[in-house]
Amino acid sequence: MLSFKWPYLFLCLPLPLLTWALLPRLNSARFSALRVPFYAQLVASLTQQGTLSARRSSLPLVMAAITWVLLITAAARPYWSGDPVQLPAEGRDLMLAVDVSNSMEHEDLTVRGNQVNRLEAVKSVLNPFISRRENDRIGLILFGSNAYLHAPLTFDRETVRTFLNESAIGIAGPQTAMGDAIGMAVKRLQERSNPSRILVLLTDGANTAGKIEPLQAAELAKKIGLKVYTIGVGASEMKIDGPFGGLFGSRRINPSADLDETTLKAIANTTGGFYFRAEDTEALHQIYEKLDQLEPIKLDVELLRPQKSLLHWPLGTALLLSLFSSLFYSRSSTP
């Protein structure tokens, strides 16, 4: 749709006619440089010789009028409005903290019937979860012996997924700095004005490294209004075959014996979040669905019509017509 930013400027279109009608006529004879008493005979003679046209051309006047209309059109700031586009609505500031310590190597979870380690199981569940976060800013923290901001808060979900899928066990060290991961999230989210700030902390162990204790970090998170939802990952029971392929029987162990559920529950309670236990990938799926129910966001849909300025078209055309009129006048006035 064609529109104008200042359409009232079209009221200036009749100004040349008003000027011609209201201002007094110019007495050309008064300002003549040379007065010729036989002017009429001279014009008739030159016309017969073809030096002067028998009638004046109206082309310069028409071109001047078109140029004036184009200048007024350009001054009115024409623009083209496109179809309405829905703007990305403001949702959560959601930070994911994923444990990549050596303990995540345990292959006690299954994905589509295949036994995989804990990190691969987490990736298989987090990927669709991230893809559904259309209105959320997502960030990614990886932590082992140290905590690193792997992806800052962004609407670019594909980039966050790529960084998550490229992560590997042990890239942040063999131990678990749970408190440092929370502290990193507090540092990145404390200056955000969004009232909905969330950290999802996913680990399979206990805090064994770092400069800050998890409960101290939880108190810092509480001060800035950051809710921490903690998830303990790992099967609670696993069957291990004995020597010679289970010839002498098998035994059952708890592969998540090192999981510090007490601390994870305390972190969640301190910040107003919840603790979840994920013993398999199906439980992980259910946990992420619950997160959407626990943190609902009411979004007002905002529409924007993209605008493209058309100012250069009438302005450029007026300039070309002015140049053409100047050349035409100079050529026609040359004897």
Side-chain angles (χ1 to χ4, degrees):
M1 181 175 64
L2 180 63
S3 303
F4 296 90
K5 188 173 182 180
W6 299 322
Y8 54 83
L9 287 179
F10 283 106
L11 296 174
C12 298
L13 282 176
L15 278 180
L17 294 177
L18 292 175
T19 303
W20 178 80
L22 298 178
L23 292 181
R25 300 291 188 274
L26 180 65
N27 188 350
S28 58
R30 178 181 174 186
F31 296 97
S32 299
L34 179 64
R35 303 182 69 176
V36 182
F38 48 89
Y39 176 75
Q41 294 84 349
L42 177 62
V43 169
S45 175
L46 292 175
T47 300
Q48 292 176 358
Q49 297 175 13
T51 306
L52 293 178
S53 175
R55 60 178 181 179
R56 292 183 179 180
S57 174
S58 60
L59 181 60
L61 182 60
V62 173
M63 293 178 64
I66 296 175
T67 301
W68 174 251
V69 173
L70 289 172
L71 288 175
I72 294 298
T73 303
R77 300 292 296 273
Y79 63 89
W80 182 263
S81 297
D83 295 329
V85 177
Q86 183 173 340
L87 294 176
E90 185 73 13
R92 309 171 183 86
D93 281 344
L94 177 60
M95 190 70 75
L96 303 173
V98 179
D99 188 350
V100 291
S101 62
N102 286 354
S103 59
M104 294 289 284
E105 287 181 327
H106 287 298
E107 296 185 356
D108 57 348
L109 299 176
T110 58
V111 175
R112 291 183 290 274
N114 298 320
Q115 201 81 11
V116 296
N117 63 45
R118 293 169 177 174
L119 181 59
E120 291 303 317
V122 168
K123 290 179 181 179
S124 69
V125 177
L126 272 183
N127 269 287
F129 174 76
I130 293 172
S131 297
R132 294 194 301 268
R133 307 276 71 77
E134 295 183 0
N135 298 310
D136 296 340
R137 287 186 177 88
I138 306 290
L140 177 64
I141 294 173
L142 300 179
F143 66 97
S145 300
N146 300 285
Y148 299 98
L149 181 68
H150 208 47
L153 288 170
T154 178
F155 283 118
D156 189 351
R157 292 165 290 158
E158 285 302 315
T159 298
V160 177
R161 288 182 56 197
T162 299
F163 286 168
L164 173 66
N165 293 330
E166 291 176 350
S167 63
I169 295 172
I171 60 173
Q175 297 178 304
T176 305
M178 195 186 307
D180 285 5
I182 300 174
M184 176 67 70
V186 171
K187 180 180 179 181
R188 294 294 173 178
L189 294 172
Q190 63 181 348
E191 296 181 357
R192 301 286 302 175
S193 59
N194 195 326
S196 182
R197 291 175 287 185
I198 301 168
L199 170 64
V200 178
L201 178 74
L202 195 146
T203 183
D204 68 340
N207 190 74
T208 57
K211 299 178 180 179
I212 182 172
E213 291 297 321
L215 294 182
Q216 292 177 342
E219 290 293 338
L220 295 175
K222 180 181 178 181
K223 288 181 180 179
I224 69 166
L226 171 61
K227 286 186 180 181
V228 182
Y229 292 93
T230 55
I231 302 175
V233 181
S236 59
E237 187 179 83
M238 186 177 182
K239 182 180 178 181
I240 298 181
D241 293 331
F244 306 104
L247 181 63
F248 297 99
S250 60
R251 59 193 179 94
R252 295 184 179 276
I253 64 169
N254 180 10
S256 300
D258 295 332
L259 180 62
D260 187 357
E261 291 190 87
T262 302
T263 300
L264 293 175
K265 290 178 181 178
I267 293 171
N269 291 334
T270 300
T271 60
F274 291 93
Y275 167 69
F276 302 97
R277 182 72 173 92
E279 299 182 3
D280 51 42
T281 52
E282 181 60 30
L284 274 174
H285 281 291
Q286 294 176 2
I287 288 169
Y288 289 125
E289 290 176 1
K290 288 180 180 178
L291 287 175
D292 286 335
Q293 300 172 5
L294 291 169
E295 293 292 337
I297 293 294
K298 293 182 180 179
L299 300 172
D300 295 329
V301 177
E302 295 185 14
L303 299 178
L304 172 69
R305 283 186 178 271
Q307 297 179 355
K308 183 179 180 182
S309 176
L310 303 177
L311 167 67
H312 55 285
W313 291 109
L315 191 60
T317 306
L319 177 62
L320 291 176
L321 285 177
S322 299
L323 293 175
F324 183 77
S325 298
S326 300
L327 292 175
F328 179 83
Y329 178 78
S330 62
R331 181 172 299 180
S332 61
S333 61
T334 302

